[in-house]
Amino acid sequence: MFIAFFEALKAAGVPVSVREYLTLMEAMDRDLAGRQVETFYYLARASLVKDERHLDKFDQVFGHCFKGLEAAVGEEAHAIPAEWLRKLAEKHLTDEEKKQIEALGGLDKLLETLAERLKEQKARHQGGNKWIGTGGTSPFGAYGYNPEGVRIGQDGNRNFRAVKVWDKREFRDLDDQVELGTRNIKVALRRLRKFARVGAAEELDLDGTIRQTARSGYLDVKLRPERRNAVKVLLFLDVGGSMDWHIAQCEELFSAARSEFKYLEHFYFHNCVYESVWRSNARRSSERIPLENVLHTYSSDYKLIFVGDASMGPYEVLYANGSVEHNNPEPGKAWLGRLLATYPRAVWLNPVQENHWSYTDSIRLIGHIMEHRMFPLTVEGIDAAMRELT
């Protein structure tokens, strides 16, 4: 049973190793789960999942293997039709009727009976007090009532009486495929970390204090610089025009990056980078920063991240005076080339869906200039971009 669970996790893309599996087995040998399904769930999750992004996949596999979700019965003859999991009817009982319904006698009895019903039942059922279905008083199913039951396929809790909520899943917002959020962006950005002790010695060095105290014979407190992420980032953000459709995503990325990187410098541009950039969109006409100054101010150990949809006329990249806003003496590709030559560790994050990139000439052009280091602005894409930068 546990080997099947382990193999199902690997098949779902959760990076579990034999070492982690053996750790779980050692914990089970010592009875740390206490023979409780809930406790085993948390024990298995702590032993096998090392990255928050995989919690949702783990929950799904755990449900399939141990909680009786649809994949547990799969293609078997007595499989529960998916349509049963929809809300077809809801039966309202009076308080007196509810008092007359008796529990089956505990979780073990419920599970035993559920297994028998799965073998016996051959068709869809609605209402009633025995079969797995909807809108009845059976202890198995959804949108009905039983004082002690197993909820299957219901989208939420109604009476708060189910012994086990089979289809409850947590941390959905951390799945690689879901919409962005500041928290899961931070998780992806953490791949770009290089810790170093910087600044004043103001953090307690506990191990050093213990060693020095033992040697000296008296309390000798030792301090050390704080350990911080030493990675330095230049963030260039495309604003205006078609980027207005992606403001929310870019704001979340910017917020996450500012909290994750101590050394972060940001600049704005429109469509393509030219001879000047700016820090404040409200003063972009009066307080522009020559790009040459940026190249001469920040050392080549900075990581360079562009954020933009790269959607524009190809002439804006290829030709002088191609900008839609001003007469640029040199084409955008010349300035992109200078940036990439100065900061070889560079990526481009694109909020446009990746399967649409081939339809836009300028996206293909920018991707070529970036030497195909363009990634979608998703959690998975950011994770891949951070791997590229390291």
Side-chain angles (χ1 to χ4, degrees):
M1 175 177 65
F2 294 118
I3 291 177
F5 176 47
F6 174 73
E7 292 176 342
L9 286 172
K10 292 184 72 68
V14 181
V16 291
S17 67
V18 174
R19 176 67 264 172
E20 292 159 352
Y21 173 76
L22 293 176
T23 298
L24 176 62
M25 292 301 95
E26 182 181 356
M28 294 300 293
D29 285 341
R30 299 185 182 185
D31 200 26
L32 296 186
R35 303 182 186 277
Q36 299 293 322
V37 176
E38 285 286 344
T39 307
F40 170 67
Y41 162 76
Y42 289 110
L43 175 64
R45 196 175 77 174
S47 302
L48 301 175
V49 182
K50 304 303 180 185
D51 193 319
E52 288 176 311
R53 290 167 301 154
H54 302 299
L55 289 175
D56 184 65
K57 293 177 183 176
F58 175 85
D59 282 356
Q60 294 181 63
V61 173
F62 189 94
H64 295 164
C65 292
F66 298 107
K67 293 187 179 181
L69 287 176
E70 56 270 20
V73 292
E75 299 300 327
E76 299 175 19
H78 55 269
I80 304 175
E83 65 194 39
W84 287 19
L85 304 183
R86 302 182 189 137
K87 183 177 180 181
L88 300 179
E90 183 165 352
K91 185 173 182 179
H92 298 279
L93 304 179
T94 65
D95 291 339
E96 183 178 352
E97 288 174 322
K98 291 179 181 179
K99 291 179 182 178
Q100 294 175 358
I101 301 174
E102 297 181 354
L104 290 181
L107 179 59
D108 292 339
K109 182 63 176 178
L110 280 172
L111 298 181
E112 178 183 343
T113 306
L114 174 59
E116 293 175 358
R117 299 281 164 81
L118 282 173
K119 294 178 181 179
E120 296 173 8
Q121 189 166 334
K122 304 299 182 183
R124 169 178 172 269
H125 188 78
Q126 177 179 339
N129 59 8
K130 177 181 179 180
W131 300 114
I132 303 167
T134 57
T137 58
S138 166
F140 311 110
Y143 304 104
Y145 177 85
N146 190 287
E148 189 176 52
V150 176
R151 192 172 77 219
I152 300 177
Q154 184 172 309
D155 57 3
N157 199 334
R158 297 169 59 254
N159 296 305
F160 298 91
R161 294 303 302 268
V163 173
K164 170 61 67 179
V165 181
W166 293 89
D167 48 359
K168 179 182 178 183
R169 285 162 48 202
E170 298 176 346
F171 301 104
R172 292 180 183 175
D173 59 329
L174 295 176
D175 192 346
D176 282 352
Q177 305 303 319
V178 300
E179 293 183 1
L180 285 172
T182 302
R183 185 185 178 194
N184 28 352
I185 293 175
K186 288 181 181 179
V187 173
L189 291 176
R190 286 172 190 166
R191 284 205 176 274
L192 192 60
R193 280 182 168 181
K194 182 179 179 182
F195 286 107
R197 297 201 176 275
V198 294
E202 54 187 17
E203 178 184 84
L204 174 64
D205 182 358
L206 182 59
D207 292 338
T209 298
I210 293 173
R211 284 195 300 269
Q212 194 59 37
T213 297
R215 291 172 183 167
S216 304
Y218 57 87
L219 179 61
D220 191 354
V221 176
K222 295 296 179 183
L223 301 176
R224 62 185 178 184
E226 185 178 357
R227 187 169 176 260
R228 295 176 178 172
N229 187 2
V231 170
K232 296 180 285 187
V233 175
L234 288 177
L235 184 63
F236 282 74
L237 299 156
D238 185 7
V239 292
S242 57
M243 281 300 293
D244 288 346
W245 300 337
H246 310 292
I247 286 176
Q249 288 175 281
C250 293
E251 284 180 340
E252 290 175 344
L253 174 66
F254 187 38
S255 175
R258 292 200 58 164
S259 65
E260 196 64 33
F261 301 115
K262 176 178 174 60
Y263 305 103
L264 173 70
E265 301 292 338
H266 75 279
F267 303 94
Y268 295 107
F269 67 96
H270 179 60
N271 284 355
C272 190
V273 177
Y274 297 109
E275 67 279 359
S276 63
V277 290
W278 58 93
R279 288 185 182 274
S280 171
N281 285 298
R283 296 188 294 272
R284 71 188 183 100
S285 298
S286 59
E287 297 183 7
R288 284 183 175 264
I289 302 170
L291 195 56
E292 285 284 358
N293 290 0
V294 175
L295 294 170
H296 294 146
T297 300
Y298 303 101
S299 59
S300 60
D301 59 341
Y302 271 81
K303 314 290 187 184
L304 179 60
I305 301 176
F306 294 99
V307 181
D309 59 8
S311 300
M312 67 198 90
Y315 52 84
E316 296 185 63
V317 182
L318 297 173
Y319 300 106
N321 299 320
S323 171
V324 296
E325 287 198 315
H326 72 293
N327 294 325
N328 51 298
E330 294 183 275
K333 70 173 184 178
W335 290 104
L336 284 173
R338 293 185 182 108
L339 282 167
L340 295 176
T342 304
Y343 309 105
R345 296 291 186 183
V347 294
W348 189 295
L349 295 174
N350 195 326
V352 176
Q353 294 183 28
E354 188 172 5
N355 58 345
H356 294 166
W357 291 358
S358 60
Y359 302 140
T360 305
D361 291 336
S362 59
I363 294 181
R364 296 199 303 270
L365 179 59
I366 294 292
H368 178 73
I369 294 173
M370 292 296 301
E371 298 178 347
H372 307 292
R373 290 174 291 174
M374 181 178 287
F375 302 88
L377 187 53
T378 62
V379 174
E380 190 175 18
I382 295 172
D383 181 78
M386 297 306 103
R387 289 176 182 270
E388 174 67 29
L389 289 175
T390 56

